[in-house]
Amino acid sequence: MPYARSTDLAGVRAFVRSRAETLGLPPERTDLLVLAVSELATNTLQHTAGGGRVRVWADADDVLCEVVDHGAARVFGRVMPAAGEIRGRGLAIVERVCDEVSSTVGPTGTVVLLRLRR
């Protein structure tokens, strides 16, 4: 699903929720995936040009999601910012709510891959 404007974010969240539920992710895990994708898509719109796209699928044990944009590779292993900080929690939240997170840069853009076990 492509997105390019902040008004697209509700549709992205609804798409991820629908796909995750269809693929058998339990409700509480679905909520975590929706949160993670929302954080990533919001970052795309705030820090890159051209929008992005989201894809959700499953393998034997997990639901996977990729968020693709044209930003720089994401760096994970972040410390959660202090409570008084105004920004900087998005990627730290993504890491904490997903079982696995990785980022690669390729010819189609920067891909952040999320994995949640069912």
Side-chain angles (χ1 to χ4, degrees), residues 3 6 21 25 27 30 32 38 40 43 45 52 56 60 66 68 71-72 79 86 92-94 106 109 111 113:
Y3 61 94
S6 60
E21 289 171 350
L25 197 62
T30 295
L32 295 175
S38 184
L40 292 170
N43 281 354
L45 297 176
V56 182
E66 66 179 14
V68 182
V79 173
I86 295 171
I93 289 169
V94 169
V111 178
L113 179 65

Side-chain angles (χ1 to χ4, degrees), residues 29 32-33 35-36 92-99 115-116:
R29 306 287 285 155
L32 295 175
L33 180 59
L35 172 64
I93 289 169
V94 169
E95 282 187 272
R96 283 158 179 79
V97 302
C98 296
D99 294 311
R115 181 181 295 266
L116 279 85

Side-chain angles (χ1 to χ4, degrees), residues 2-36:
Y3 61 94
R5 295 180 302 278
S6 60
T7 55
D8 296 334
L9 291 174
V12 168
R13 289 188 289 269
F15 167 77
V16 171
R17 180 171 303 285
S18 175
R19 289 288 298 140
E21 289 171 350
T22 298
L23 294 167
L25 197 62
E28 65 279 359
R29 306 287 285 155
T30 295
D31 290 343
L32 295 175
L33 180 59
V34 170
L35 172 64

Side-chain angles (χ1 to χ4, degrees), residues 42-49 71 87:
T42 299
N43 281 354
T44 295
L45 297 176
Q46 290 180 341
H47 302 292
T48 73
R87 302 178 60 93

Side-chain angles (χ1 to χ4, degrees), residues 20 27 75 82 89 99-100 116-117:
V75 177
R89 287 178 187 74
D99 294 311
E100 292 179 34
L116 279 85
R117 291 183 183 81

